[in-house]
Amino acid sequence: MIASTPLRTALIGVALAATALVPLQGTALAAPSGTATAATAAASSVSGIEDATALALARSLADPDWNREVRRAALAADSVGLGALADDATAPAGRKLAARITAADRGVAAAKGLGSDAGSLLRLGLADASMKDRLASGAAPLVAAAPSDDDGAATFTAYDSRGAAHELPLDSATDRPVYLVDIDGAKAVAEGLKVIDKTLEAKGLGLPAPSAGTSLSAASGIDTTRIDSVRLGDVEEPFFKGDAEIFTLVTGFGKDGKPRVDTVEMPYLNDEDTTYYPGQVLVNWSSYKYDMADAVMMEDDGDTNYQALAKAIAAVLLTITDQGAYIPLVDALLDAIPTNWWTDDPDYVDSWYTLARTSSGQRNGAAGNGWMTVSPYHVPEL
């Protein structure tokens, strides 16, 4: 924890609160081992749904025709939609599995606080590209839910076609090919940020920015801060998880004097130690009353519930009033977050504070995990 970055701490706390608000739609709340409550909560979480789907898929691979269909799909692409794969199956086991996967997709959407129109979210791919040769040569695959990188475990569970469990190491690829059942992270983030935007707008905390020409200052367009390049040292993703799914929360005071949060999707930020040149608008200054804003960058954890995250943000920000000058939002945010809200959920990546309308050049993240070069960018009116 970096003591000099209180706003980062506050927004992380709000994000980590999301699961606690909806215990049966995110990571399960603590319950006595073996109780029906604990079992129901675990099964209703994204990780629980993934695990149950992995076991069902593993058992279905006892059908040799279906096994070959899945193998061909896994060798042809890094990741395939599991629902589409089952829907298009010619083997009986695949067709039988299709209804179960459809139900699992609906469960994932509910657990992540997404709308009913989110569509198929579950995907299938090999845990590591090095496993392709062994899979192609006919080695019997195992199937696992994509492991969480938040619980500190050293192993994860994979299943064979008999349904037997195998404990595998997290820190290295195994000799046997492993299919991972995971979430389409890019789709989940895109849908999730829509939920956040809609929820905050309904609370008056994310009203649309004025269009160009609605005020003297915007008569000929809008002023923005643009990301010219960005680089992260750690995107919080272990080897088996593939691309990171990064988004940023930009916060400040809106034109109406209320705190606001704007969401920024960053689908290109996949790999650590790689410099990207997106030319992406980070801050639209026509949305803000003061020439200061802060940014917190996060990576979607599989159990992130976007509806609960939005409600937690709104509950905190609605307690804050404009004091006539730009102030950090951190103290009120921290005071408003109950202790029991601090649970694992989205991974914190880095944060940037006191971004000004005139900010230019390289800005290092407060946690020392990344940097951005930014520049003022005027968007002219058409």
Side-chain angles (χ1 to χ4, degrees):
M1 181 79 57
I2 307 299
S4 61
T5 57
L7 182 54
R8 166 182 69 85
T9 304
L11 285 180
I12 294 169
V14 172
L16 297 183
T19 299
L21 285 176
V22 187
L24 296 186
Q25 294 184 344
T27 304
L29 294 178
S33 177
T35 64
T37 300
T40 301
S44 301
S45 69
V46 172
S47 56
I49 295 169
E50 287 179 340
D51 187 70
T53 304
L55 177 56
L57 175 61
R59 286 174 169 161
S60 74
L61 295 179
D63 178 340
D65 293 333
W66 172 235
N67 196 328
R68 283 190 290 270
E69 288 186 49
V70 176
R71 179 185 289 112
R72 284 196 297 269
L75 291 173
D78 291 338
S79 178
V80 296
L82 191 52
L85 181 61
D87 287 341
D88 295 339
T90 58
R95 294 197 300 270
K96 183 178 180 181
L97 192 65
R100 181 160 190 165
I101 293 173
T102 298
D105 273 324
R106 288 197 297 264
V108 168
K112 293 186 73 62
L114 305 178
S116 58
D117 58 349
S120 180
L121 291 167
L122 289 169
R123 298 189 68 79
L124 182 75
L126 282 168
D128 192 75
S130 65
M131 298 175 176
K132 282 192 172 183
D133 289 343
R134 279 162 277 164
L135 182 66
S137 67
L142 300 172
V143 186
S148 171
D149 55 324
D150 286 331
D151 57 15
T155 63
F156 66 103
T157 303
Y159 304 100
D160 62 28
S161 60
R162 297 173 300 166
H166 301 255
E167 291 300 311
L168 304 178
L170 277 174
D171 59 358
S172 61
T174 63
D175 292 334
R176 192 168 176 180
V178 180
Y179 294 138
L180 288 185
V181 174
D182 203 356
I183 301 300
D184 185 336
K187 184 176 183 179
V189 168
E191 293 297 321
L193 296 189
K194 291 178 185 176
V195 170
I196 292 177
D197 291 340
K198 183 177 180 180
T199 302
L200 294 182
E201 183 176 337
K203 297 288 187 180
L205 297 172
L207 297 176
S211 59
T214 59
S215 67
L216 292 176
S217 62
S220 59
I222 58 174
D223 291 327
T224 72
T225 290
R226 181 176 65 181
I227 304 173
D228 297 316
S229 60
V230 57
R231 185 182 181 95
L232 300 177
D234 186 354
V235 294
E236 302 294 339
E237 287 289 77
F239 83 92
F240 50 79
K241 288 285 282 184
D243 291 341
E245 307 300 343
I246 303 294
F247 63 94
T248 295
L249 305 177
V250 177
T251 185
F253 283 90
K255 293 290 189 181
D256 57 1
K258 294 180 179 179
R260 67 175 289 131
V261 173
D262 290 305
T263 60
V264 181
E265 187 179 353
M266 310 179 92
Y268 54 88
L269 261 177
N270 292 327
D271 300 315
E272 60 191 40
D273 298 324
T274 301
T275 303
Y276 296 89
Y277 302 89
Q280 181 183 29
V281 169
L282 179 66
V283 186
N284 176 353
W285 292 107
S286 67
S287 300
Y288 292 90
K289 179 177 180 180
Y290 302 108
D291 286 351
M292 289 287 181
D294 305 316
V296 176
M297 188 180 290
M298 308 195 79
E299 188 269 327
D300 181 351
D301 186 332
D303 274 325
T304 304
N305 184 303
Y306 288 93
Q307 184 64 55
L309 175 58
K311 289 180 179 178
I313 291 172
V316 171
L317 295 187
L318 284 170
T319 68
I320 302 171
T321 58
D322 182 12
Q323 302 299 312
Y326 179 78
I327 57 172
L329 303 180
V330 65
D331 290 339
L333 286 170
L334 288 175
D335 290 343
I337 298 172
T339 303
N340 64 349
W341 282 21
W342 294 80
T343 63
D344 285 335
D345 214 292
D347 290 322
Y348 166 68
V349 177
D350 215 325
S351 48
W352 286 261
Y353 296 92
T354 59
L355 290 168
R357 188 190 296 254
T358 56
S359 291
S360 182
Q362 182 169 317
R363 294 291 302 268
N364 295 324
N369 189 40
W371 53 260
M372 294 189 292
T373 57
V374 298
S375 62
Y377 181 67
H378 184 76
V379 181
E381 185 174 20
L382 289 175

